[in-house]
Amino acid sequence: MHLESLKYFREVASEKSISKVAKKSYISQSALSQLIQKLEEDFGYKLLNRSNKGVALTELGEIVLKYSNNIIRNYETMVEELETTVKQHNKVRINGTWSLVTYSLPCVIYKIKKKYPNHQYELIASTREDTITDVQNDICDFGIINDALDPEHNLFTYPMGKEKIVLIAPGKYNIPQKIKLEDLLHYDMIMCNSNNNIHKNLEEALKTIDKKVDDLNIIFNATTDGAVKLAVSNGYGLAFVPYESIKHELYEKTVKVIDIEDVSLDYDLYLISKKLGQLSKARKESIEYFIEIGPKSFC
């Protein structure tokens, strides 16, 4: 029995006419009659009574029609679920910091997409803590976080290099190209409160001169690197930002990078995911290629 024949049988039963269904389906009446006859032969029962007025279901035809609706509906549901499952298995969700998702990761994903055109990718800006939770709960497939994980998380972890952090000033700001850490106390500062690593590393650096972040002249805190860059471009003060996020502003010369003697606020980046053996083929392939091309492919 072919499902196609069952579908035609259902249509004929509904229209009570082989000729009408043949015309509507763009097949010959004789071809459709043969399909219905073959279906009857497969079952071994007469399903339709034929007359000059059309066709009518036999008692056994009524039974076939009743079950054909379920069979066809279940088949269509099965096909739909198969397609949905395949699409979901080919979908790869990636978490990262706002600056990484906005500036660095798109170039990497572009190259991965070229290698695996059937995979679908989604980038999501997220905090370190939310990324860890999302990976554990299968909300995202892998993420890029700053700082190493504790072993208790039981996740796959791979070092991906460092995020370079720079001090920027307005392009026309009157400030030396290189300053000492203590010189920061004499300038207005803008902080990004969404990047805990910058704050933490700056706090550690200031300890070396017996100072704290609270000792700086912080004009205001912003929620994103974008807001910080805009404030610096408008001449409101200095700020620490990821280098990848200011390439355009450096080209336009609306900001400039200021060196600080013997101070680095760079922090480590790590790729995290479930153990590779637990992942679908699309996710495992994407992670492995991401590791292969690595930070050298960041925008």
Side-chain angles (χ1 to χ4, degrees), residues 165-171 173 184-195 198-199 202 213 215-242 246 254-255 260 265:
I165 303 301
V166 294
L167 177 67
I168 59 171
Y173 208 62
L184 286 180
L185 299 168
H186 307 304
Y187 295 99
D188 293 338
M189 296 290 299
I190 301 154
M191 298 294 291
C192 181
N193 55 21
S194 67
N195 196 320
I198 292 179
H199 189 283
L202 180 58
V213 170
D215 294 321
L216 299 175
N217 186 29
I218 299 174
I219 302 301
F220 64 88
N221 288 275
T223 57
T224 66
D225 293 326
V228 171
K229 291 190 303 177
L230 182 60
V232 174
S233 297
N234 288 333
Y236 298 151
L238 313 183
F240 288 100
V241 296
I246 57 158
T254 57
V255 304
I260 303 180
L265 303 188

Side-chain angles (χ1 to χ4, degrees), residues 138-155:
D138 297 315
I139 296 172
C140 83
D141 299 304
F142 72 93
I144 309 298
I145 64 169
N146 40 52
D147 282 350
L149 280 179
D150 295 327
E152 64 188 34
H153 287 98
N154 196 30
L155 295 174

Side-chain angles (χ1 to χ4, degrees), residues 35-279:
L35 284 174
I36 299 299
Q37 288 173 3
K38 180 64 169 60
L39 186 66
E40 289 178 316
E41 291 173 5
D42 289 342
F43 281 120
Y45 303 111
K46 185 178 181 181
L47 304 179
L48 295 173
N49 287 320
R50 297 160 177 82
S51 69
N52 293 334
K53 295 181 180 180
V55 298
L57 288 170
T58 65
E59 182 180 358
L60 297 178
E62 293 279 3
I63 296 173
V64 172
L65 177 63
K66 179 177 67 174
Y67 285 100
S68 69
N69 289 328
N70 289 333
I71 292 170
I72 293 169
R73 186 166 58 250
N74 286 338
Y75 174 81
E76 291 172 345
T77 301
M78 177 187 70
V79 171
E80 181 180 346
E81 186 171 340
L82 285 171
E83 292 175 348
T84 300
T85 300
V86 168
K87 288 179 180 178
Q88 286 298 320
H89 282 180
N90 286 345
K91 184 176 182 180
V92 182
R93 295 154 296 184
I94 305 159
N95 279 21
T97 63
W98 185 88
S99 60
L100 285 174
V101 167
T102 305
Y103 301 106
S104 300
L105 294 183
C107 292
V108 188
I109 301 308
Y110 174 80
K111 292 182 179 180
I112 298 176
K113 178 69 174 179
K114 285 294 184 180
K115 185 173 178 66
Y116 301 109
N118 293 326
H119 300 349
Q120 304 298 320
Y121 295 97
E122 181 180 3
L123 286 173
I124 303 164
S126 177
T127 65
R128 178 183 185 275
E129 291 72 23
D130 285 346
T131 294
I132 296 170
T133 301
D134 286 355
V135 168
Q136 290 173 323
N137 295 327
D138 297 315
I139 296 172
C140 83
D141 299 304
F142 72 93
I144 309 298
I145 64 169
N146 40 52
D147 282 350
L149 280 179
D150 295 327
E152 64 188 34
H153 287 98
N154 196 30
L155 295 174
F156 171 74
T157 305
Y158 189 88
M160 296 298 299
K162 290 182 176 291
E163 175 103 274
K164 183 179 180 182
I165 303 301
V166 294
L167 177 67
I168 59 171
K172 297 182 180 180
Y173 208 62
N174 184 19
I175 182 174
Q177 183 63 44
K178 178 177 284 190
I179 64 175
K180 295 182 179 180
L181 184 60
E182 53 264 32
D183 294 332
L184 286 180
L185 299 168
H186 307 304
Y187 295 99
D188 293 338
M189 296 290 299
I190 301 154
M191 298 294 291
C192 181
N193 55 21
S194 67
N195 196 320
N196 293 330
N197 272 67
I198 292 179
H199 189 283
K200 182 181 71 174
N201 290 353
L202 180 58
E203 193 77 75
E204 289 299 316
L206 289 170
K207 282 182 182 179
T208 63
I209 57 172
D210 295 321
K211 297 294 181 182
K212 297 186 291 187
V213 170
D214 290 343
D215 294 321
L216 299 175
N217 186 29
I218 299 174
I219 302 301
F220 64 88
N221 288 275
T223 57
T224 66
D225 293 326
V228 171
K229 291 190 303 177
L230 182 60
V232 174
S233 297
N234 288 333
Y236 298 151
L238 313 183
F240 288 100
V241 296
Y243 175 74
E244 300 292 343
S245 70
I246 57 158
K247 289 183 178 179
H248 176 74
E249 286 76 12
L250 288 175
Y251 177 79
E252 296 290 336
K253 298 183 178 179
T254 57
V255 304
K256 57 186 178 183
V257 173
I258 306 300
D259 295 326
I260 303 180
E261 291 182 9
D262 303 321
V263 173
S264 172
L265 303 188
D266 300 352
Y267 48 79
D268 295 319
L269 296 174
Y270 293 87
L271 181 150
I272 64 169
S273 73
K274 288 285 186 68
K275 302 296 184 181
L276 297 187
Q278 300 175 261
L279 301 178

